[in-house]
Amino acid sequence: MAYENRHFSTFEHSYRCYPVSFIDKPHLEKGDKIIMPPSALDRLASLQIEYPMLFELNNPAAGRVTHCGVLEFIADEGLIYLPYWMMENMLLQEGDVVQLKNASLAKGTYVKLQPHTKDFLDVSNPKAILETSLRSYSCLTTGDTIMVAYNNKKYYINIVETKPSSAVSIIETDCEVDFAPPLDYKEPEKPAKSALLNRKRSEDEDEPAKKMAKFSPFTGFGRRLDGRPSTESVAPDSSPILKQHQSETQNGTKDSKSSNPASRQPSGKLVFGSNVNQPKNEKSKVAPKNSNQEPPQKEEEPKFQAFTGKKYSLKG
């Protein structure tokens, strides 16, 4: 007996389908309602079925399944009229045969949608528009593509996921709606470009630093303290040149002290027998400077010996 009740409570029939534009009802394109023949209403009224009436559409030739509701029973016998977007999802042509069966669906709690284009996200309030548009729908099936019309433009949206099952009823229910990135959405590449620019800038900043010569102290020309020209060029190495310069400076100061004993004499005193009073003879010994000739070698001066001059008496 239970089997008979289950058998008689099931409505299943095959119909030829056509778009709703054939009966001059284009407004049905904004929902999932179909038009069925009056005989289907008589059959459904005699069965113990749940309301609102929901149906499962099956295209065995393409293996496509979807769900829909019914609006009116005014179609010709053997025919049903579907929204054109639903026929596209089912891969149906005008006059193809489709199987129709009543279904009982759970109320949906979660729906994830994915727009085909990112233009839908540019609308001022896409969630409010979607909520208004979904009032014309009675159920949603995972894998379907619904059409939302707004401001004389059609937006196609994929049903990515539904909970608690793959097909849910959205009549008088609070359903959470989530959006997936649109199909034509591309992630911005600005961070990658900025990283490349920063890398190029760092490389450009490193190149001038590498090209700059290192600082080498004491790389100029050497000058002697006694005014004579220097025949040796100064090497770029700083440490030996500094030592050589210090040694030359010390030698120069020794020579100047040995050649000019008056510099170490205390002022206001006379030293008899010294060579202080002979500056003209020393000047005559110095040869004139000539850039083409090599500087004369320095003659060895006699060492200073104290009290080697003539002897004088204060009495006269």
Side-chain angles (χ1 to χ4, degrees), residues 49-301:
I49 61 173
E50 296 181 1
Y51 289 89
M53 295 182 185
L54 300 177
F55 299 91
E56 177 187 307
L57 287 172
N58 183 16
N59 181 9
R64 294 294 185 96
V65 177
T66 188
H67 297 80
C68 63
V70 60
L71 181 65
E72 293 178 331
F73 295 89
I74 58 173
D76 296 335
E77 292 297 330
L79 305 179
I80 59 173
Y81 296 93
L82 310 177
Y84 187 70
W85 64 265
M86 188 179 294
M87 293 182 64
E88 288 181 337
N89 288 340
M90 299 289 293
L91 302 178
L92 293 171
Q93 300 294 331
E94 298 174 1
D96 288 350
V97 177
V98 63
Q99 294 180 357
L100 185 69
K101 182 175 66 173
N102 69 314
S104 177
L105 302 178
K107 291 187 176 182
T109 57
Y110 173 81
V111 176
K112 188 174 184 179
L113 308 176
Q114 184 180 32
H116 283 196
T117 61
K118 56 185 178 182
D119 296 341
F120 182 74
L121 301 180
D122 296 335
V123 180
S124 59
N125 194 349
K127 286 191 175 183
I129 295 169
L130 188 62
E131 181 181 354
T132 303
S133 300
L134 289 180
R135 291 175 183 174
S136 301
Y137 289 81
S138 55
C139 54
L140 297 175
T141 305
T142 301
D144 279 359
T145 300
I146 63 175
M147 190 272 295
V148 175
Y150 176 73
N151 199 13
N152 298 326
K153 191 173 182 179
K154 295 180 180 180
Y155 300 96
Y156 290 92
I157 301 175
N158 292 339
I159 310 299
V160 179
E161 184 182 1
T162 57
K163 292 180 182 180
S165 60
S166 59
V168 295
S169 172
I170 58 173
I171 299 175
E172 297 180 356
T173 181
D174 293 333
C175 187
E176 180 183 356
V177 179
D178 191 13
F179 285 91
L183 294 178
D184 62 347
Y185 176 76
K186 294 182 180 180
E187 294 184 358
E189 299 180 355
K190 292 181 180 180
K193 291 182 179 180
S194 61
L196 292 176
L197 291 175
N198 294 333
R199 186 179 301 175
K200 289 182 179 179
R201 289 178 182 175
S202 61
E203 291 177 356
D204 295 340
E205 291 176 357
D206 293 341
E207 287 180 0
K210 293 179 181 178
K211 292 179 180 179
M212 291 177 62
K214 294 182 179 180
F215 173 72
S216 298
F218 305 106
T219 57
F221 295 99
R223 301 292 182 182
R224 293 173 60 92
L225 296 177
D226 56 0
R228 295 180 182 180
S230 177
T231 58
E232 297 180 356
S233 61
V234 181
D237 194 1
S238 61
S239 59
I241 293 301
L242 179 60
K243 294 178 181 179
Q244 182 179 356
H245 185 271
Q246 291 176 354
S247 62
E248 288 180 358
T249 305
Q250 292 176 359
N251 293 334
T253 52
K254 288 180 181 179
D255 293 341
S256 62
K257 288 182 181 179
S258 62
S259 61
N260 298 325
S263 61
R264 59 189 179 186
Q265 301 286 341
S267 61
K269 291 185 181 182
L270 294 176
V271 178
F272 298 100
S274 64
N275 295 327
V276 178
N277 297 325
Q278 299 178 359
K280 294 181 179 180
N281 295 333
E282 292 180 359
K283 290 183 179 179
S284 62
K285 294 180 182 180
V286 179
K289 296 181 180 179
N290 189 354
S291 60
N292 297 328
Q293 298 179 359
E294 294 181 357
Q297 295 181 356
K298 187 176 180 181
E299 297 179 357
E300 295 182 358
E301 295 180 359

